[in-house]
Amino acid sequence: MSAARDMLCDTASAVFTEAASVGIGPVEDAGFGLLLVPEADGGFGGDWGDVNAVLWIAGHSVPDLPVAALILSGLGDVDPALHAAATVSLMAGAMGQALTLSIDHVNTRQQFGRPLGKFQAVQQSLAVMACEVRAVEAAAAALAARLDATGGDALAAGFEIAAAKLRANRAVGVVTSVAHQVHGAIGFTEEYDLHRVTVPLMRWRGTHGNDAHWAQILGRQVAGFGGRGLWEAMTARDA
Amino acid sequence: MQGFALYPFDPPSDIAALRTDLRAWLAVNQLQGDLVARANCWVSFDAGFSRALGAAGYVGMTLPARYGGGDRHPLERYVVIEELLAAGAPVGAHWIADRQTGPLILRYGSEEQRERYLPGIAKGELYACIGLSEPGAGSDLAAVRTTARETAEGWRINGQKIWTTGAHFSHIMLALVRTEEGSERNAGLSQLLIDLATPGITIRPIIDMAGHHDFNEVFFDDVLVPHGALVGERGQGGQQVTAELGLERSGPERYLSSHALLVALIDAAGADPDPAVATLIGELTAEMWTLRQLSMSTAAKLAAGEDPMVEASVVKELGNAFEQDMPRRVQAIVTSGWDDPDDLAKLLRALLIASPSFSLRGGTREVIRGIIARGLGLR
């Protein structure tokens, strides 16, 4: 990762920590609405790789704040598909947080005289969950790379937006259910942090295109490529 | 694992040209005859195809030129492998020698072993099998009991291997054996490169539930191989094998080996598919596209000399689930019957029957999930 993106992530983490208690104000004041605006127009001149990194952190730490909408507002009236793209990054971050909370919990909580994480049944569940999280992280990063290769053109990146949002939607079920299962009752309380990421994940699954929406779009596009054409189209789109 | 970075897949040459050349070569050299052989194609044996592929420079690509290799970058080889699999090319004859045995001989082998075996591997003419499993040692490889005793003439091997894919057509076996008498577990295991024409070796077929002969039992009855058969360090075989298994988990074969079925589904659906079929095509495509990103990122990490053991296991776990799920979901939605003669029906039947093996070979699902759990800091 570049030094500039490292700095951006450090800034985002600090600003989001403050915003977690006071709302979106500090995020606006820090200029995140200018992240995608070119430097020539007085913006930060960031790319979609930057957006993915920032929204990953937002999904992780402030999933209820409209950070994605703020970043996209800098571009004016954008294709709604770009909101779907941004949501994938938020989902990757929120899933990462759900996994972190789950690992911490099973390594701490003891039953039958040992931490839950020592039980193979729990280990196997968390491994399944981690695979889903890693898949969504990969989808978000690959989508960002495609958006950067196409200059942020939602139409040119339509295949990747559909594939990534659909894949992220399909991961929500496993990720939220395993996270809650390994947490037991504490994870179902208002006080504990898990719902702060799992409820947004459930919401995002239906926002900016649910499974049926993107599966139809992608399925019809692929049908147009033809059987062998799918592979040729997919490899021709490598950044 | 950093949450928002893929390792950049950045081969040193013009990949588009490499793809174009290989596709043109396949259009001329790949027989289109046996459809079912094109599904699950990395176990399809065709020595003529392997030889032609080797002559065209697509086998042993990463081996040094002085051993007959192509001196190519690992990511160039990755591109060639994904093209071959996506086309359903019959790569089974040279598959293990090219993917595992060649690189392992280059890394751990003696100069004599490299000169002796690598040129044949790169030509697509010398085939290898892997002697790991035994009747009492499956997932638990440290339970290996086949022995090799060092004598004045060489190593004397006694014991049995089982589930050995391709032993019946292979020239050599890279076997994990116990070289230290009375040793336990991983201590005392070594790797030996065994010429399968050596007297005292008996190979018996095991027919699988699909009616195919891929597996074998291999018996060693006082088999004498030269001192020079030892690969790498005596007593380090367990560690060498673990590193080798890591290499075989994240390749494109983990999500592309049954690509022929997706191709047939799309072709059968036509340009204006029924909504339910379009949904299924969309969902399978989203999964495949994501797996490709994960596999490429892991390959790039391997090529950079890192050890992505956990990422590689994630690719295998997700890839196996995808390839087992696909035929079930296709069957649930198409009208093809079990014995119908159309392409889709034939592929479907073959892959439904083959699919239980996907999460067994190369590490069972349970072992793979255990590796991932350890990577998460559990256990």
Side-chain angles (χ1 to χ4, degrees), chain B residues 99-362:
Chain B
R99 179 179 74 177
Q100 259 162 283
T101 319
L104 196 130
I105 291 172
L106 183 67
R107 180 167 171 192
Y108 295 112
S110 65
E111 192 53 35
E112 188 203 335
Q113 287 167 336
R114 293 174 183 171
E115 285 171 7
R116 183 157 171 208
Y117 297 111
L118 295 183
I121 289 175
K123 279 183 187 158
E125 291 178 352
L126 196 148
Y127 310 136
C129 59
I130 303 169
L132 294 179
S133 294
E134 296 183 3
S139 290
D140 180 14
L141 286 175
V144 157
R145 292 175 59 187
T146 296
T147 57
R149 297 276 163 265
E150 195 172 25
T151 67
E153 311 91 68
W155 299 95
R156 284 218 173 260
I157 307 168
N158 282 284
Q160 180 194 352
K161 295 291 175 183
I162 194 168
W163 317 125
T164 316
T165 299
H168 55 302
F169 61 71
S170 292
H171 304 95
I172 53 175
M173 172 192 281
L174 189 57
L176 185 65
V177 296
R178 195 163 293 284
T179 44
E180 316 310 315
E181 204 166 352
S183 64
E184 294 285 339
R185 308 297 295 162
N186 265 327
L189 295 178
S190 304
Q191 284 187 296
L192 293 183
L193 200 49
I194 301 167
D195 184 334
L196 288 173
T198 312
I201 297 176
T202 307
I203 299 173
R204 288 194 198 138
I206 301 175
I207 305 302
D208 66 31
M209 66 185 259
H212 295 150
H213 174 201
D214 295 332
F215 287 149
N216 298 273
E217 291 181 287
V218 183
F219 298 89
F220 298 91
D221 182 12
D222 226 18
V223 173
L224 180 67
V225 298
H227 290 111
L230 180 71
V231 177
E233 261 186 75
R234 182 170 175 167
Q236 292 298 307
Q239 287 82 342
Q240 288 171 208
V241 160
T242 305
E244 178 188 2
L245 288 174
L247 291 179
E248 71 155 295
R249 288 193 176 126
S250 62
E253 66 272 21
R254 296 302 171 192
Y255 72 97
L256 273 179
S257 76
S258 40
H259 187 62
L261 179 61
L262 183 55
V263 171
L265 175 70
I266 295 166
D267 284 339
D272 184 23
D274 171 87
V277 177
T279 294
L280 179 58
I281 292 172
E283 289 176 353
L284 293 173
T285 302
E287 187 65 42
M288 177 203 168
W289 173 80
T290 305
L291 273 161
R292 182 162 182 260
Q293 309 306 324
L294 280 168
S295 174
M296 289 168 81
S297 172
T298 309
K301 219 167 171 179
L302 275 168
E306 296 192 32
D307 179 19
M309 180 69 94
V310 175
E311 286 96 322
S313 297
V314 168
V315 172
K316 184 176 187 306
E317 165 72 9
L318 288 172
N320 290 163
F322 167 66
E323 292 207 311
Q324 290 182 331
D325 207 27
M326 179 158 64
R328 290 197 283 258
R329 296 177 67 197
V330 172
Q331 186 184 37
I333 204 168
V334 299
T335 52
S336 297
W338 186 257
D339 290 316
D340 283 355
D342 60 287
D343 285 2
L344 190 55
K346 279 197 262 182
L347 283 168
L348 198 47
R349 189 175 61 232
L351 285 170
L352 281 166
I353 295 172
S355 62
S357 71
F358 298 168
S359 52
L360 302 174
R361 60 190 182 189

Side-chain angles (χ1 to χ4, degrees), chain A residues 1 56 107 118 123-124 127-128 131-132 134-135 137 142 167 170 215-216 218-220 223 226-227 231 235 238, chain B residues 1 3-4 19 23 82-83 266-267 270 272 275 278-279 282-283 287 290 292 318 329 366 369 377-379:
Chain A
M1 206 158 70
W56 191 91
N107 279 338
K118 297 291 175 199
Q123 293 169 0
Q124 299 262 312
V128 171
C131 287
E132 293 298 298
R134 190 71 192 115
E137 288 170 347
R167 186 62 185 83
R170 288 175 62 77
Q216 275 302 305
L218 187 60
R220 294 191 63 82
W231 180 252
T235 51
D238 288 345
Chain B
M1 282 199 284
F4 40 83
R19 289 191 199 279
R23 286 174 194 174
E82 63 170 9
E83 285 294 328
I266 295 166
D267 284 339
D272 184 23
T279 294
E283 289 176 353
E287 187 65 42
T290 305
R292 182 162 182 260
L318 288 172
R329 296 177 67 197
E366 290 72 17
R369 288 181 181 171
L378 308 176
R379 305 181 75 175

